[in-house]
Amino acid sequence: MSLFPEDSTKESLDFSTLGFYGSSGSCIFKYFVDPNDPQKSFSWAILIFNFLCMLVVALSYFSVHLLSQKSAAKVGVSRRFGALQRKISLIIISDFFCWTPFILICILHYTKTINATPYYSFFSIVILPINSLINPIFVRQLFHQECHSSVSWN
């Protein structure tokens, strides 16, 4: 007995019209939209939300950096503080360099300045996951260093 009744299901589904996930070889959400795409509102909401989160994190880090730099100078822990700040800066910079070019390409594609469709797989498989790959490495190193420097084994 077959799981599909008489192959009629296979013939009636046209996978090229799925659009949302089915427009490219990668099964990743469709960010490269044009003004006629029904997903444009959702795509732009996700991109704008991500950009705003990145901006809030960067501005918050910058303000914390300024305040803690003053405190570190008073206490005299500037060497350790500098190493910590560099690692946190790398996390924010990696986020910026992964998402900002992607958002700019999305804008250029939407305004039909460029056709970015051939590059979608490259961005979705290589560029965006770089941030997801790099951040845990930086955070692990940061956490490991802070744990070892704050715990005394004597």
Side-chain angles (χ1 to χ4, degrees):
M1 178 175 228
S2 174
L3 293 175
F4 297 106
E6 298 297 321
D7 286 343
S8 62
T9 307
K10 292 179 187 175
E11 292 174 11
S12 64
L13 273 178
D14 181 13
F15 291 107
S16 64
T17 61
L18 292 177
F20 196 72
Y21 287 105
S23 62
S24 71
S26 58
C27 189
I28 296 176
F29 180 71
K30 183 176 163 184
Y31 286 107
F32 291 170
V33 294
D34 59 33
N36 298 326
D37 274 330
Q39 301 94 0
K40 69 181 175 192
S41 299
F42 186 71
S43 296
W44 283 110
I46 296 292
L47 288 169
I48 290 168
F49 179 74
N50 189 24
F51 181 75
L52 291 175
C53 287
M54 183 178 64
L55 194 63
V56 166
V57 167
L59 292 174
S60 299
Y61 166 73
F62 184 68
S63 64
V64 166
H65 173 73
L66 292 176
L67 293 173
S68 58
Q69 190 174 21
K70 291 177 186 176
S71 297
K74 289 179 184 176
V75 178
V77 290
S78 60
R79 182 174 175 225
R80 183 174 165 213
F81 174 75
L84 176 66
Q85 293 301 320
R86 277 191 296 279
K87 290 187 181 189
I88 293 172
S89 296
L90 286 174
I91 293 171
I92 293 171
I93 289 169
S94 72
D95 191 35
F96 178 81
F97 281 119
C98 287
W99 278 101
T100 303
F102 184 74
I103 292 170
L104 289 174
I105 294 294
C106 289
I107 292 169
L108 293 174
H109 182 80
Y110 184 79
T111 60
K112 298 186 182 201
T113 305
I114 63 168
N115 180 13
T117 305
Y119 308 111
Y120 188 73
S121 293
F122 173 73
F123 273 96
S124 60
I125 295 171
V126 177
I127 300 295
L128 292 182
I130 286 174
N131 190 38
S132 299
L133 176 74
I134 290 175
N135 281 351
I137 293 169
F138 289 148
V139 170
R140 183 191 172 280
Q141 289 174 349
L142 183 65
F143 180 74
H144 183 70
Q145 178 186 6
E146 289 301 309
C147 284
H148 282 286
S149 65
S150 63
V151 174
S152 174
W153 298 102
N154 292 335

